[in-house]
């Protein structure tokens, strides 16, 4: 009997360091630098089953960020972007997936241990697997209950906040564990100044008096690609979007609507914060309009959003 997690059942192949290998053979040495020091970078991307067939959502932007994330760590990913693209598309085809989650990762591998990774090789891998709604289908329809975490988001002067660094996500793990340990679905993390940053793996949007606010890049957030998409969708729908906002904790409790955005979370309503009901305590009308438009786009891949999709 397989002991692999259910989400990976049926996945046969991983791309690793230039080769397609069996799922069970995609392994690294216990003295891998990235395992000990968190010296890796990654991306999370979705492939959607659109009306025109499987297509990767905003692949070019994700791929650009993958390489940009490596720069602060003097990490040279040993494959060209075109090779990563080709491997990803081939992997999805081999797994015969119409929709899936895609996880490219690059990390300093097995070499002499010590904080300086320069003598360790850079290893690269890509995995794909079926993955539905990250916070649950019910969450998309009804919203989630969240809590403000006691853990603060690290500042960009400590760890680059716009790089998807494997080790830095320990911060997110702590916030998520705390929230779930207290029977909340997810957390909201404040920055060192005590203002709202984001969720552990999501950006956050606030609706007040018909206008939309999302925390700016200076608030120690990741420049989320789904965040960018939501901003564009909202503006195309005629809403005023303040995309460089500073949001205090107290503003969360008095918001008309709140929602998360992210590759995994997509567009997920927030119905309560610290047991304070948000709006009517369910998905708000503006959130619903944006969420509906988002899913219409990823399902239909309309011509006006053609540059958002990379066909498989």
């Amino acid at each position: 009997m397989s002991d692999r997690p259910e989400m990976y059942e049926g996945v046969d192949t991983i791309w690793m360091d230039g080769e397609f290998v069996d799922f069970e053979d995609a392994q690294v040495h216990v003295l891998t630098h990235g395992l000990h020091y968190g010296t890796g970078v990654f991306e999370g991307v979705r492939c959607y089953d659109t009306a025109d067939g499987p297509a990767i959502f905003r692949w070019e932007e994700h791929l650009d960020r993958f390489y940009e994330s490596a720069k602060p760590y003097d990490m040279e990913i040993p494959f060209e972007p075109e090779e990563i693209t080709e491997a990803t598309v081939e992997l999805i085809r081999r797994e015969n997936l119409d929709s899936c989650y895609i996880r490219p990762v690059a990390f300093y591998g097995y070499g002499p241990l010590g904080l300086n990774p320069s003598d360790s090789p850079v290893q690269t891998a890509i995995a794909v697997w079926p993955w539905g709604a990250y916070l649950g289908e019910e969450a998309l329809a009804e919203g989630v209950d969240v809590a403000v975490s006691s853990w603060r988001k690290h500042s960009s002067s400590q760890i680059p906040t716009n790089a998807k660094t494997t080790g830095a996500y320990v911060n997110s793990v702590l916030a998520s564990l705390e929230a779930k340990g207290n029977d909340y679905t997810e957390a909201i993390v404040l920055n060192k100044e005590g203002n709202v940053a984001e969720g552990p793996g999501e950006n956050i949007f606030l609706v007040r008096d018909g206008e939309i606010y999302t925390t700016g890049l200076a608030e120690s957030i990741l420049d989320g690609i789904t965040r960018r998409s939501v901003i564009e969708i909202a503006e195309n729908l005629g809403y005023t979007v303040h995309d460089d906002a500073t949001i205090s904790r107290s503003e969360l409790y008095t918001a008309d609507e709140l929602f998360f955005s992210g590759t995994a979370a997509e567009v997920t309503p927030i119905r309560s914060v610290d047991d304070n009901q948000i709006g009517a305590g369910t998905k708000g009308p503006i959130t619903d309009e944006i969420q509906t438009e988002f899913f219409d786009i990823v399902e239909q891949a309309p011509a006006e959003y053609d540059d958002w999709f990379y066909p498989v």
Side-chain angles (χ1 to χ4, degrees):
M1 181 180 292
S2 173
D3 60 355
R4 71 168 73 174
E6 183 179 350
M7 68 192 305
Y8 305 132
E9 288 297 338
V11 178
D12 297 321
T13 307
I14 303 284
W15 183 89
M16 194 166 187
D17 295 326
E19 298 180 358
F20 293 96
V21 301
D22 289 342
F23 185 94
E24 306 297 343
D25 294 333
Q27 301 179 12
V28 297
H29 197 281
V30 71
L31 293 178
T32 292
H33 195 278
L35 175 62
H36 291 258
Y37 300 114
T39 47
V41 299
F42 71 98
E43 274 299 318
V45 197
R46 279 193 187 266
C47 175
Y48 285 100
D49 184 14
T50 77
D52 295 325
I56 305 174
F57 185 67
R58 308 205 75 161
W59 174 246
E60 301 285 349
E61 292 96 328
H62 281 285
L63 195 60
D64 286 346
R65 190 172 64 185
F66 186 49
Y67 282 85
E68 290 294 318
S69 292
K71 289 181 178 179
Y73 304 99
D74 291 331
M75 179 186 295
E76 187 171 341
I77 296 173
F79 296 92
E80 295 298 321
E82 294 77 14
E83 295 176 284
I84 298 295
T85 298
E86 182 180 339
T88 301
V89 169
E90 176 61 22
L91 188 58
I92 295 170
R93 289 173 178 170
R94 287 185 180 220
E95 294 298 311
N96 196 29
L97 293 169
D98 293 323
S99 63
C100 63
Y101 184 82
I102 306 165
R103 171 53 60 88
V105 60
F107 55 94
Y108 281 109
Y110 169 50
L113 282 185
L115 291 176
N116 190 326
S118 57
D119 291 329
S120 297
V122 176
Q123 293 188 251
T124 314
I126 308 166
V128 300
W129 64 88
W131 202 4
Y134 175 60
L135 298 175
E137 293 293 341
E138 183 179 311
L140 292 175
E142 299 179 11
V144 293
D145 300 312
V146 307
V148 174
S149 179
S150 65
W151 296 99
R152 295 291 179 93
K153 179 69 184 282
H154 54 268
S155 166
S156 60
S157 64
Q158 298 167 314
I159 302 173
T161 53
N162 205 33
K164 287 183 71 72
T165 309
T166 56
Y169 273 77
V170 169
N171 183 249
S172 297
V173 169
L174 290 168
S176 183
L177 284 172
E178 180 184 48
K180 290 176 172 58
N182 290 315
D183 295 324
Y184 295 97
T185 303
E186 189 59 295
I188 292 174
V189 184
L190 307 181
N191 59 25
K192 65 183 179 64
E193 288 81 17
N195 295 316
V196 174
E198 56 191 354
E202 310 91 358
N203 294 118
I204 190 167
F205 286 79
L206 178 150
V207 179
R208 183 173 61 234
D209 297 331
E211 297 189 354
I212 300 171
Y213 300 79
T214 187
T215 48
L217 301 185
E219 302 299 322
S220 298
I221 71 164
L222 181 73
D223 182 11
I225 291 165
T226 305
R227 172 184 178 272
R228 298 181 205 166
S229 305
V230 166
I231 291 168
E232 187 171 338
I233 288 169
E235 289 177 339
N236 288 346
L237 289 171
Y239 291 104
T240 298
V241 181
H242 306 272
D243 62 0
D244 197 24
T246 296
I247 300 173
S248 69
R249 179 175 181 168
S250 62
E251 287 178 279
L252 296 173
Y253 305 137
T254 58
D256 296 331
E257 302 176 38
L258 292 171
F259 63 91
F260 283 132
S261 74
T263 293
E266 297 168 302
V267 179
T268 299
I270 298 170
R271 65 187 179 192
S272 74
V273 180
D274 294 337
D275 301 321
N276 293 284
Q277 180 176 296
I278 305 303
T282 186
K283 179 168 54 177
I286 293 177
T287 303
D288 182 58
E289 187 177 8
I290 291 170
Q291 184 193 68
T292 299
E293 182 72 4
F294 175 83
F295 283 114
D296 282 349
I297 289 168
V298 299
E299 290 168 6
Q300 299 301 322
E304 59 266 36
Y305 291 99
D306 186 61
D307 60 342
W308 284 15
F309 296 92
Y310 191 96
V312 173

